[in-house]
């Protein structure tokens, strides 16, 4: 195999090791608004604010989790960062190993192709994300073929290497996806994402469709690969127990906005936003005798096409005051590394969960 063409799976590759504080990605005021069309002439009568002014940074080698209820904009954020969908506005600053610092939102077709070699995505559903008419050789080798990497023999060798890397036998290379379980299919998806030695991987709820026992195996695999190859993950999930296991820092989203960001231990033990407290209180616990704090939220999640004034969360917040209904709070750093979007963050004494319980 031509190591220059294929890029050997070298743990020492210069993509950043876990624990480094250098930023790999900076998202600044990212917005994605989907138009609402009506009438015979399909006139635009409004917009769905799927992502509405999101800002955060990812350090090299870390796993940053995005959590929140379904429809809060987590997946749209991840896909906008990769330009799988076009963002409406904002900056997506990425430290590409070939291009240097670039704004992904403004890249032309040529540079975007280079950027996409270094960023990949692991999809939620391992059944629909793999073409049933393609063998594992074709599925995993497709990124190599599309980018003109190596000849047929070199690609075959690389696919066999990738299968071994994710815990599958190289002899499976000629088989089709229907021959595998959900967990094995997700391993195929992970192998495909690693084909071009990416710097950055968006994991879009990669274990939510799997059995609990298989979830743990998949998470451990992702962590092992991250440690070996210095990968940086954006981990999208709604299962907070899964996020606690794999993420270094967590961002909580509500109706397209980030409402709290902190390292995992701090966020879980000492939340500053009422929505975070409610999410943590809803996490199931395996001990039937465990009695944790539960905050029941009134009403429904806000409509992203017509969000309320002020703080989007105030109609459901048990602590809301008059200020919350007409003035939107800013995302501010209340403690070192702990950001919150709440007027009352200094006054509230919210209840978290003990990760050791």
């Amino acid at each position: 195999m031509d190591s220059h063409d294929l890029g050997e799976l070298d743990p020492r590759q210069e993509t950043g090791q876990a624990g480094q504080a250098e930023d790999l990605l900076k998202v600044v005021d990212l917005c994605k608004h989907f138009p609402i069309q009506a009438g015979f002439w399909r006139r635009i009568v409004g917009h769905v604010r799927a992502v509405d002014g999101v800002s955060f940074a990812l350090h090299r080698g870390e796993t940053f989790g995005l959590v929140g209820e379904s429809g809060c904009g987590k997946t749209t954020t991840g896909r906008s960062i990769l330009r799988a969908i076009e963002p409406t506005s904002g900056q997506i600053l990425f430290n590409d190993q070939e291009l240097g610092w670039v704004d992904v939102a403004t890249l032309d077709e040529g540079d975007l192709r280079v950027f996409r070699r270094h960023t990949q995505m692991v999809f939620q559903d391992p059944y629909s994300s793999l073409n049933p008419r393609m063998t594992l050789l074709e599925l995993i080798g497709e990124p190599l073929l599309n980018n003109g990497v190596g000849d047929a023999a070199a690609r075959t060798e690389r696919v066999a290497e990738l299968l071994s890397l994710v815990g599958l036998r190289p002899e499976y290379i000629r088989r089709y996806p229907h021959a595998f379980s959900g967990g094995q299919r997700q391993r195929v998806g992970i192998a495909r994402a690693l084909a071009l030695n990416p710097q950055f991987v968006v994991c879009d709820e990669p274990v939510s469709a799997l059995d609990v026992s298989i979830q743990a195996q998949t998470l451990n695999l992702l962590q092992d690969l991250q440690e070996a190859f210095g990968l940086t993950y954006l981990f999208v999930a709604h299962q907070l127990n899964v996020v606690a296991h794999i993420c270094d820092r967590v961002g909580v989203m509500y109706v397209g906005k980030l409402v709290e960001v902190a390292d995992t231990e701090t966020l879980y033990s000492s939340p500053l936003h009422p929505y975070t407290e409610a999410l943590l209180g809803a996490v199931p616990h395996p001990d039937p005798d465990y009695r944790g704090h539960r905050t029941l939220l009134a009403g429904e999640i806000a409509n992203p096409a017509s969000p309320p004034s002020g703080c989007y969360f105030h109609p459901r917040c048990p602590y809301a005051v008059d200020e919350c209904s007409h003035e939107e709070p800013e995302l501010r750093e209340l403690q070192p590394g702990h950001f919150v979007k709440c007027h009352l963050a200094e006054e509230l004494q919210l209840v978290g969960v003990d990760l050791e319980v």
Side-chain angles (χ1 to χ4, degrees), residues 1-15 17 97 117 144 149-150 154-155 157-162 165 194-199 225 228-231:
M1 177 168 57
D2 188 339
S3 62
H4 175 73
D5 285 341
L6 293 181
E8 294 180 349
L9 295 172
D10 182 0
R12 297 165 297 179
Q13 64 175 304
E14 296 180 1
T15 56
Q17 298 299 319
Q97 62 188 19
R117 286 184 59 132
L144 303 171
V149 179
R155 289 195 295 270
E157 185 177 348
R158 178 55 181 275
V159 171
E161 181 184 7
L162 288 164
L165 185 70
L194 294 178
L196 294 171
N197 280 335
Q199 296 175 262
L225 293 172
F229 305 115
L231 299 172

Side-chain angles (χ1 to χ4, degrees), residues 194-236:
L194 294 178
L196 294 171
N197 280 335
Q199 296 175 262
F200 172 58
V201 180
V202 175
C203 301
D204 182 16
E205 304 203 30
V207 298
S208 63
L210 307 179
D211 293 339
V212 174
S213 59
I214 306 302
Q215 287 183 5
Q217 296 176 18
T218 305
L219 292 173
N220 290 337
L221 172 64
L222 288 170
Q223 287 182 308
D224 290 343
L225 293 172
Q226 180 179 42
E227 183 177 353
F229 305 115
L231 299 172
T232 303
Y233 292 144
L234 176 64
F235 194 91
V236 174

Side-chain angles (χ1 to χ4, degrees), residues 25 27 59 69 80 109 111 144 180 264 284 290 318 339 341 351:
L25 174 73
V27 178
H59 310 316
E69 293 171 285
S80 296
E109 185 175 346
D111 287 342
L144 303 171
F180 300 96
T264 304
Y290 177 74
F339 298 81
K341 191 181 183 74
V351 179

Side-chain angles (χ1 to χ4, degrees), residues 6 40 49 61 79 96 119 161 165:
L6 293 181
F40 179 80
R49 302 177 183 181
R79 296 193 177 207
D96 188 271
T119 57
E161 181 184 7
L165 185 70

Side-chain angles (χ1 to χ4, degrees), residues 41-113:
W41 300 107
R42 311 300 296 168
R43 293 185 301 108
I44 295 177
V45 297
H47 290 84
V48 175
R49 302 177 183 181
V51 180
D52 197 14
V54 167
S55 299
F56 62 90
L58 261 72
H59 310 316
R60 285 187 183 272
E62 80 164 342
T63 301
F64 183 86
L66 276 182
V67 303
E69 293 171 285
S70 296
C72 71
K74 307 183 300 294
T75 295
T76 304
T77 299
R79 296 193 177 207
S80 296
I81 290 171
L82 297 184
R83 283 274 299 272
I85 56 177
E86 291 293 329
T88 301
S89 62
Q91 291 182 301
I92 306 164
L93 305 176
F94 184 78
N95 191 1
D96 188 271
Q97 62 188 19
E98 291 186 40
L99 303 173
W101 278 105
V102 294
D103 184 356
V104 178
T106 62
L107 290 180
D108 59 28
E109 185 175 346
D111 287 342
L112 187 60
R113 187 176 181 88

